[in-house]
């Protein structure tokens, strides 16, 4: 551990989270084991080795799935409010350990400390939501066309749920799935990102301890660790009816095909190419705040990060100049230092992709308004710190059509009617998050109408990132079409059943069919 990290309390945080020099990366709850190769986790903050995790072998996985199946049979019979009480106790531990877990998220992933704390807060919020939900797993009652019959539908636990999460939200996305799946009566097997394995082990430590102390059967919360080959254990496994996967569109297509071939269910949260439309009636100050945070928050590594800013020609220069000025005030450095706005990219591969995007936009004729580049010198020894950049571009540029997973904002100009801006916004393959900045009620309503944004998330006068737990999170097109978190997203973790009860002494058939013996 580096001196800088120790200064910010990381050594204490690791101890509080029960992390050791070498951690087993496979767990069924009470039982921890791993027989695979060592994965080393280096911090993008200062390049220091945080710890080592043993990966999951095929034999390890078989033990996990067998234990999860057995645990599920017991867990599903526990009344849902009692399952909710277990989740509440898990939430109590998250509240107690919010600070050390938030620090670990920041140090291992590279997002600012405040964002790390915010991610843990999302875990807390979804657990609160799940506890309330545990008393509301409701179906519907329908009128039957046959006299003396009653019809209704109900939801039963689905089984073992497989969860594959990404490095950019190493703990929150797992909790979105598990908190709901647990109260629904499912067992969960989680493969976190191999780029952030320590946060995964820390979360499983917390869950395993709480579950064990409350007599929960082993296997309800499981962890496996490794690269994509470990994820394939789950995607190809017919014993897992649902795979929830968060990551790139490329990865999602592979998961969807693999799971679909065995007629399993997929919940996919994939790429975003999110845009903010800025009309002549926009509040420029709020526009700049929303665009800057959306573009540089988490160093541009959110699936909801703002990639494109579509600005009307009447306010284009005003918005452009305000943005350029705002970017000069961004402080880049150690994310554990709350004076800094932006931390590092996750690793040097991400840096290469960022630099490649800047070269591509210039090659296609774009104009760099705010120069990017890699920062060097004291405090930037990891080689993962880069400058947030702004480029004037055209929506049809190939690089603009793809998701740039880094702090590069493409500013685009539109003229005429709002429809032209909507055509630009919708004219990409992704459909996750979108926003419009306007004080014109007609423009706002048009943006939200069936002819407006084609994204799963559409905001008015706020940016593209910062979704709340209460709403269903997800997008359309190549974003995958899945929904997580709030609203009725819980239904995907359960199997739906329609029931008809005949309480008469006769057996009338539907549609008036006669069949007399």
């Amino acid at each position: 551990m580096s001196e800088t990290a120790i200064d910010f309390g990381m050594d204490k945080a690791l101890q509080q989270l029960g992390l050791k020099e070498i951690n087993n990366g496979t767990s069924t709850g009470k039982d921890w084991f791993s027989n695979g190769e060592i994965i080393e986790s280096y911090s993008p903050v200062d390049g220091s080795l945080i710890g080592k995790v043993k990966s999951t072998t095929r034999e390890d996985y078989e033990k996990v799935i067998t234990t999860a199946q057995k645990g599920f049979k017991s867990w599903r019979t526990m009344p849902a409010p009692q399952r909710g009480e277990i989740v509440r106790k898990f939430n109590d531990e998250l509240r107690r350990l919010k600070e050390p877990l938030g620090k670990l998220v920041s140090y291992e992933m590279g997002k600012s400390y405040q964002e790390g704390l915010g991610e843990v807060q999302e875990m807390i919020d979804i657990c609160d939501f799940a506890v309330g939900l545990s008393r509301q797993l409701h179906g519907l009652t329908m009128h039957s066309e046959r006299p003396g019959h009653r019809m209704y539908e109900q939801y039963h636990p689905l089984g073992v749920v497989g969860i594959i999460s990404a490095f950019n939200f190493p703990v929150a996305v797992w909790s979105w799935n598990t908190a709901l799946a647990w109260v629904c009566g499912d067992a969960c097997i989680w493969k976190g990102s191999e780029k952030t394995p320590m946060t995964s082990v820390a979360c499983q430590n917390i869950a395993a301890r709480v579950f064990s102390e409350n007599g929960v059967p082993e296997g309800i919360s499981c962890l496996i660790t490794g690269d994509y080959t470990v994820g394939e254990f789950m995607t190809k496994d017919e014993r897992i009816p649902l795979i929830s996967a968060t990551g790139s569109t490329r990865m999602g297509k592979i998961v969807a095909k693999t799971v679909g071939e065995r007629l399993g269910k997929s919940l996919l949260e994939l790429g975003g190419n999110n845009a903010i439309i800025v009309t002549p009636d926009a509040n420029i100050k709020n526009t700049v705040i929303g665009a800057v945070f959306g573009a540089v928050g988490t160093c541009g590594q959110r699936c909801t990060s703002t990639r494109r800013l579509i600005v009307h020609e009447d306010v284009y220069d005003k918005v452009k100049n305000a943005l350029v000025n705002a970017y000069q005030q961004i402080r880049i450095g150690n994310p554990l230092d709350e004076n800094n706005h932006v931390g590092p990219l996750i690793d040097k591969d991400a840096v290469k992709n960022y630099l490649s995007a800047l070269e591509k936009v210039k090659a296609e004729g774009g104009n760099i308004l705010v120069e990017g580049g890699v920062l060097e010198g004291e405090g930037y020894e990891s080689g993962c710190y880069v400058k947030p950049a702004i480029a004037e571009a055209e929506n049809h540029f190939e690089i603009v059509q793809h998701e740039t997973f880094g702090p590069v904002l493409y500013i685009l100009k539109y003229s005429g009617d709002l429809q032209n801006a909507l055509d630009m916004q919708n004219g990409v393959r992704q459909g996750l998050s979108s926003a419009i900045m306007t004080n014109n009620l007609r423009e706002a309503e048009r943006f939200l109408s069936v002819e407006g944004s084609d994204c799963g998330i559409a905001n008015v006068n706020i940016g593209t990132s910062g979704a709340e737990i209460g709403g269903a999170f997800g997008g359309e097109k190549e974003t995958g079409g899945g929904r997580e978190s709030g609203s009725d997203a819980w239904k995907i973790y359960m199997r739906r059943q329609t029931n008809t009860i005949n309480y008469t002494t006769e057996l009338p058939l539907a549609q008036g069919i006669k069949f007399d013996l």
Side-chain angles (χ1 to χ4, degrees):
M1 186 68 63
S2 70
E3 292 183 5
T4 303
I6 293 173
D7 290 343
F8 285 96
M10 275 308 308
D11 193 43
K12 180 181 178 181
L14 294 174
Q15 292 178 10
Q16 289 176 292
L17 296 170
L19 297 173
K20 306 171 184 177
E21 183 178 350
I22 299 180
N23 298 269
N24 283 316
T26 309
S27 170
T28 55
K30 299 176 183 177
D31 197 5
W32 285 84
F33 52 93
S34 289
N35 295 297
E37 297 179 352
I38 292 288
I39 297 174
E40 296 180 328
S41 177
Y42 291 91
S43 171
V45 174
D46 56 13
S48 294
L49 177 65
I50 305 174
K52 301 177 182 180
V53 178
K54 290 183 179 180
S55 60
T56 302
T57 66
R58 182 76 212 194
E59 291 72 24
D60 295 335
Y61 173 76
E62 284 301 321
K63 183 176 181 179
V64 168
I65 185 66
T66 300
T67 307
Q69 285 183 301
K70 181 179 179 181
F72 164 68
K73 291 180 179 179
S74 173
W75 179 245
R76 67 182 177 180
T77 63
M78 180 184 291
Q82 292 183 26
R83 297 194 295 258
E85 177 64 10
I86 301 298
V87 173
R88 185 193 65 77
K89 292 179 178 180
F90 172 70
N91 198 14
D92 287 343
E93 281 297 281
L94 290 178
R95 293 177 189 274
R96 185 178 71 85
L97 296 169
K98 178 179 178 180
E99 181 178 328
L101 186 55
K103 283 184 178 180
L104 178 58
V105 169
S106 176
Y107 191 58
E108 188 171 38
M109 186 270 148
K111 64 176 60 177
S112 72
Y113 178 45
Q114 284 302 314
E115 289 182 270
L117 291 175
E119 186 169 346
V120 180
Q121 185 62 48
E122 284 193 39
M123 302 176 75
I124 293 168
D125 292 343
I126 194 62
C127 285
D128 283 342
F129 181 91
V131 172
L133 179 66
S134 68
R135 294 181 181 272
Q136 301 181 64
L137 299 174
H138 54 78
L140 297 172
T141 300
M142 292 81 73
H143 288 283
S144 172
E145 65 183 50
R146 289 166 285 184
H149 286 58
R150 181 168 69 89
M151 290 180 64
Y152 69 97
E153 65 179 23
Q154 61 180 332
Y155 289 85
H156 292 302
L158 186 62
V160 178
V161 173
I163 302 164
I164 300 172
S165 63
F167 73 85
N168 58 333
F169 280 86
V171 297
V173 172
W174 167 69
S175 69
W176 290 359
N177 286 274
T178 51
L180 299 189
W182 285 339
V183 298
C184 287
D186 300 323
C188 296
I189 301 176
W190 176 29
K191 193 201 88 67
S193 172
E194 64 271 27
K195 295 184 179 183
T196 52
M198 301 295 283
T199 53
S200 300
V201 173
C203 289
Q204 178 65 3
N205 271 339
I206 299 170
R209 183 174 65 255
V210 171
F211 282 21
S212 177
E213 291 173 353
N214 288 276
V216 174
E218 191 172 10
I220 306 307
S221 179
C222 300
L223 176 68
I224 58 177
T225 301
D227 61 14
Y228 73 94
T229 59
V230 175
E232 287 179 347
F233 295 162
M234 293 196 297
T235 59
K236 295 179 179 179
D237 194 337
E238 294 183 356
R239 295 168 291 184
I240 299 183
L242 171 66
I243 296 291
S244 175
T246 302
S248 68
T249 296
R250 181 192 62 80
M251 179 274 288
K253 289 181 178 179
I254 296 171
V255 170
K257 180 180 179 181
T258 304
V259 176
E261 285 177 343
R262 60 177 177 86
L263 297 182
K265 295 200 296 183
S266 297
L267 195 171
L268 301 175
E269 296 290 355
L270 311 175
N273 197 348
N274 317 296
I276 298 176
I277 295 174
V278 185
T279 79
D281 288 314
N283 180 308
I284 303 301
K285 178 182 177 182
N286 289 346
T287 295
V288 171
I289 293 173
V292 172
F293 176 75
V296 309
T298 321
C299 204
Q301 296 171 112
R302 293 181 175 220
C303 53
T304 55
S305 290
T306 305
R307 310 293 179 199
R308 299 173 295 145
L309 196 65
I310 303 170
V311 187
H312 193 275
E313 60 182 0
D314 289 352
V315 292
Y316 183 83
D317 288 337
K318 189 174 183 179
V319 171
K320 178 177 71 173
N321 293 335
L323 274 174
V324 171
N325 180 62
Y327 267 54
Q328 310 313 311
Q329 303 173 50
I330 294 172
R331 294 186 295 273
I332 309 166
N334 189 321
L336 292 170
D337 184 344
E338 296 184 56
N339 291 313
N340 293 323
H341 299 117
V342 180
L345 289 170
I346 184 65
D347 55 26
K348 291 183 179 178
D349 285 339
V351 174
K352 291 178 182 177
N353 292 333
Y354 154 85
L355 293 174
S356 175
L358 291 176
E359 289 302 315
K360 287 178 180 178
V361 73
K362 287 189 287 187
E364 292 191 69
N367 175 41
I368 303 297
L369 292 174
V370 176
E371 290 288 342
V374 181
L375 292 167
E376 299 177 345
E378 186 177 355
Y380 305 124
E381 290 85 357
S382 70
C384 296
Y385 290 87
V386 300
K387 302 174 186 177
I390 303 176
E392 290 181 296
E394 299 288 341
N395 202 54
H396 63 81
F397 286 3
E398 183 180 358
I399 187 60
V400 177
Q401 288 287 309
H402 291 82
E403 180 183 39
T404 299
F405 216 64
V408 180
L409 177 64
Y410 303 112
I411 183 169
L412 317 171
K413 184 188 293 186
Y414 83 96
S415 59
D417 186 73
L418 176 62
Q419 189 60 49
N420 294 327
L422 288 169
D423 290 343
M424 292 171 66
Q425 181 207 275
N426 296 341
V428 293
R429 294 191 180 98
Q430 309 83 2
L432 178 53
S433 186
S434 59
I436 189 171
M437 295 292 185
T438 181
N439 288 323
N440 184 309
L441 179 60
R442 289 189 178 91
E443 289 180 332
E445 290 295 338
R446 186 174 175 185
F447 177 76
L448 300 175
S449 75
V450 68
E451 298 177 318
S453 170
D454 66 359
C455 296
I457 299 169
N459 299 327
V460 176
N461 291 330
I462 61 172
T464 59
S465 59
E468 295 185 30
I469 286 301
F473 180 89
E476 301 301 322
K477 302 189 292 188
E478 286 195 358
T479 300
R483 292 297 185 274
E484 293 175 324
S485 190
S487 186
D488 65 349
W490 60 271
K491 292 181 178 179
I492 197 169
Y493 304 100
M494 306 197 82
R495 59 181 178 89
R496 186 171 183 166
Q497 185 180 82
T498 300
N499 308 112
T500 304
I501 300 172
N502 176 11
Y503 57 87
T504 73
T505 59
E506 305 294 330
L507 184 58
L509 302 178
Q511 291 85 45
I513 296 173
K514 301 294 184 181
F515 187 75
D516 296 324
L517 294 177

